[in-house]
Amino acid sequence: MDILYSALVFLHMLGLAGIIAGFLMQLMTDNAKAPKVLLHSSLLQFVTGLLLVGVAEMADLSELDHVKIAVKLVVALAVVVLGVLNLRKPARNLAIVAGVLAVVNIGVAVFW
Ligand code: HEM
């Protein structure tokens, strides 16, 4: 289970890097693929987050703070919704809010 948990944390960190990369791509270069990078990374982040919680609970790996997880879940869901809207009709403001919310979630993960 430890290796599975580590693999999920690894993917969770890649998802985080992808969201920030998509956000910066859209803001700095207006690259046409940026909205896809942002959305797919936010989905990866959302799914790996849920799986991390599942594995941690099943294997009793770590004591999770459920309020913190709920906050992260809501913020991550907002990032996914913004990602979908941004893919349908790309807009800098949507990318900015998605990027800022992802950074907020990093703060929640690290400081809570
Ligand atoms: C934009 C969305 C997200 C971002 C930016 C994010 C960021 C992070 C970061 C930076 C860490 C490492 C922190 C640490 O180990 O101290 C982490 C760990 C974790 N995240 Fe997320 N996360 C997001 C979404 C989610 C979601 C939706 C869930 C679950 C519903 C989740 C559950 C977890 C769990 C269980 C850990 C491991 C915590 C631990 O082992 O102490 N994350 N996340």
Side-chain angles (χ1 to χ4, degrees):
M1 274 304 193
D2 274 5
I3 181 71
L4 176 59
Y5 192 81
S6 300
L8 288 171
V9 173
F10 179 78
L11 292 174
H12 204 59
M13 295 302 101
L14 282 184
L16 163 57
I19 296 175
I20 301 298
F23 157 72
L24 290 177
M25 274 167 80
Q26 189 158 344
L27 284 198
M28 299 172 84
T29 69
D30 233 348
N31 188 303
K33 293 198 171 135
K36 255 191 192 165
V37 173
L38 210 161
L39 175 61
H40 292 169
S41 304
S42 67
L43 286 169
L44 176 64
Q45 197 66 349
F46 192 78
V47 171
T48 52
L50 286 179
L51 291 173
L52 274 171
V53 175
V55 172
E57 295 288 356
M58 263 191 334
D60 253 341
L61 285 179
S62 65
E63 266 313 304
L64 292 176
D65 181 332
H66 289 106
V67 180
K68 167 179 167 175
I69 294 299
V71 170
K72 285 190 75 180
L73 192 64
V74 171
V75 174
L77 191 60
V79 177
V80 171
V81 171
L82 289 164
V84 171
L85 297 175
N86 186 48
L87 184 66
R88 283 193 188 157
K89 196 164 181 282
R92 281 173 74 87
N93 286 347
L94 291 174
I96 290 174
V97 180
V100 168
L101 284 179
V103 172
V104 167
N105 244 5
I106 301 173
V108 173
V110 173
F111 294 114
W112 189 309

